[in-house]
Each structure stands twice: as structure tokens, then as C-alpha cells.
């Protein structure tokens, strides 16, 4: 039987998944806030971190660590921003545990923290007013990025 | 022998530590950006997440999850912001792996993401220009908070 991955209410095509562990998967973005901005998502659909079992929370961080090393190198970054918005009042828009992984470079933003303003405008597949300025990528562009990344994980 | 915890170049008094696991500790802040803003820090002093061993990264997230549940409830939050600035170009100021855990409430900031602007001004024990507007807490206030939190973890 083929597994099917959900991100909140959305079914995720395999073509957009570049990483898998026992409890998590890595997903490319429709509207990355900078190149290489990806998500690590728990396979089990629960909104909040404290609903994950310890082994699932552990896997999330180990996955984030593994993914960040590859993403930072591939996108020629020098640092990585990790953010987990746990609940709507923390800016979570998709009610499903997910961590943002964003490769950073010197002066990629004029003010380092402006990235969070973009991050909080980020909503997966939503065409809200906030997001009109960022053009969604094509299915093909997302597939190609996931294909490239998948190779780096030896899959 | 008594263990001694470092956070970057700083020796941390036991009185400020409210949580311990095998590989991590929980630390109250000199200048929390909002009440209940705490840190979870790896016991081993390395700057970057990918320098942690898998079991250390796992412990960091399990600790963050455990701490967040307690902190959210204690500070009457409804959500939690987790942020890990991994490297100087991600805004990391203390070169030692640490994750910010911040209980959030509806409209605690007029714009939800303004918290990150405060977060990036945050520097542990530094009296930089950015921080003058936030008065550092007394050793006693920090000890009292850590004492209260420690009780909640059954220690």
C-alpha cells in the first residue's frame, strides 16, 4: 500500500517530498521566503508539539538537523533559521506540527529579523492578500527542487 | 563533584536552572522578551545544531516539548513560539546551541511577528544599545522564577 502524506488538510504529492524518516517528512514550499526554505512535518497529523510522542518530537529535531546540514551546504548558506509556530497565537496557519528550516547568508535581509515578518506572512497554498507579492512556483519547479534534494539524501 | 553549566562563555549559577535532562538544561532569562521566555540549552558547548549528536538533538526537542507544556500552562498562554538561531547569520549571539521557548497569547503583540524583532535584539547579559530599553532582572527575581518552575517539574 502506498503511503499518503497530509499537511493539515492538504494531501501532499510524493513529488514534493525530499526526505523521510520514521515519523517525519521533508517538504518543499510553494512560496519559499528565500531559496531553500523547506519544512519538516510530523507524519502524524496533530496540531501541537506536546501532542507528539517523545520519539516523534525526537525524530523531528534529528530530521531538522539532518536536513539543515544538506540545505545549508546546497544553498551556500552560513547559518540556519529554525522556527516552529506552535498554535495560532504563535502564527501557525496550518494546524499540523511543522518546523521551518531556512538557510541564511550574511545580509540576506537588510535587518536580520525581517525574515520573520516574511515567515509570518507565509501560508501554505493560501492565496491571501499577504502573499500576492510572492508568486507561487509551478508544480514542476517544486518537483525539480525535491528531486535534486532527494539525491543529496541518497534516495 | 558538582556539575557546572556553561552558556557560551558564561558560567550559569544553579539558581537559574529549572530543568535538566541527560543532555540539556532549561534556563531563565535576564531579560525575557515576555514573561515565561526561557531557553533550553545543550549541556555540551557547541555552536551549531549539526555539531550535536543525534541523541543530543533528540533530547533538545523532547526537553523543549516538556518545558513548553509547563510554561504555556503556568504563564496562561495559548500557543508557543520556538526559535533556534543556528549561526551568526541567523541572529545567534551566544555561540552555543539554544532554543528560545516563548509562551504566546492572543494579541500579546499588536503584530504577531513583532516578537521576532524583540527576539533578535535579545542578547544574554549584554548591555548593548538595543537592550537598554529592557531593564535586566535582579538575580533574586531570576532565582525565584527558576524555583517556581523547578517545582512544576517535580524537582
Amino acid at each position: 500500500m502506498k503511503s499518503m502524506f497530509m499537511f493539515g488538510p492538504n494531501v501532499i504529492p510524493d513529488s514534493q517530498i525530499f526526505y523521510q524518516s520514521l515519523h517525519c517528512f521533508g517538504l518543499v514550499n510553494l512560496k519559499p521566503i528565500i531559496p531553500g526554505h523547506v519544512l519538516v512535518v510530523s507524519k502524524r497529523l496533530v496540531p501541537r508539539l506536546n501532542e507528539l510522542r517523545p520519539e516523534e518530537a525526537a525524530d523531528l529535531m534529528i530530521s531538522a538537523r539532518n536536513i539543515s546540514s544538506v540545505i545549508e551546504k546546497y544553498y551556500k548558506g552560513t547559518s540556519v533559521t529554525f522556527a516552529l509556530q506552535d498554535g495560532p497565537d504563535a502564527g501557525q496557519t496550518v494546524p499540523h506540527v511543522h518546523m521551518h528550516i531556512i538557510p541564511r547568508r550574511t545580509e540576506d535581509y537588510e535587518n536580520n529579523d525581517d525574515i520573520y515578518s516574511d515567515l509570518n506572512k507565509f501560508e501554505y497554498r493560501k492565496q491571501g492578500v499577504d502573499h500576492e507579492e510572492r508568486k507561487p512556483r509551478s508544480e514542476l519547479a517544486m518537483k525539480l527542487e525535491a528531486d535534486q534534494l532527494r539525491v543529496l539524501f541518497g534516495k
Side-chain angles (χ1 to χ4, degrees), chain A:
Chain A
M1 203 181 78
K2 210 163 173 311
S3 58
M4 195 178 68
F5 295 115
M6 303 294 294
F7 180 39
N10 310 294
V11 178
I12 300 299
D14 284 353
S15 61
Q16 293 175 17
I17 294 173
F18 63 90
Y19 173 95
Q20 265 200 66
S21 62
L22 189 57
H23 298 296
C24 301
F25 62 92
L27 177 61
V28 298
N29 272 319
L30 184 66
K31 292 179 173 186
I33 62 174
I34 47 178
H37 168 207
V38 298
L39 302 178
V40 57
V41 185
S42 64
K43 285 185 180 172
R44 201 158 59 85
L45 202 175
V46 291
R48 299 294 309 273
L49 182 67
N50 66 11
E51 295 174 275
L52 292 186
R53 294 186 288 266
E55 64 271 25
E56 293 170 317
D59 188 337
L60 190 75
M61 199 77 227
I62 293 172
S63 295
R65 166 183 164 282
N66 294 345
I67 291 170
S68 72
S69 293
V70 166
I71 291 281
E72 179 176 335
K73 195 172 170 194
Y74 187 68
Y75 288 94
K76 300 184 177 24
T78 48
S79 295
V80 179
T81 292
F82 297 89
L84 195 158
Q85 298 158 314
D86 193 34
D89 289 326
Q92 186 189 44
T93 52
V94 178
H96 185 160
V97 176
H98 61 285
M99 189 185 278
H100 295 266
I101 304 175
I102 309 167
R104 304 294 307 271
R105 295 196 220 189
T106 311
E107 294 175 358
D108 51 7
Y109 278 78
E110 196 173 326
N111 297 306
N112 186 282
D113 56 310
D114 284 351
I115 195 168
Y116 294 107
S117 174
D118 276 358
L119 187 64
N120 276 32
K121 288 180 197 157
F122 174 91
E123 286 183 80
Y124 189 80
R125 285 161 195 275
K126 264 198 175 169
Q127 303 295 324
V129 176
D130 276 346
H131 313 94
E132 293 305 333
E133 75 267 28
R134 254 197 339 273
K135 208 172 156 226
R137 300 195 295 172
S138 67
E139 291 286 330
L140 181 62
M142 294 170 78
K143 178 188 179 305
L144 288 177
E145 187 192 22
D147 287 348
Q148 288 167 339
L149 293 177
R150 213 176 291 118
V151 169
L152 302 175
F153 290 100
K155 295 280 163 64

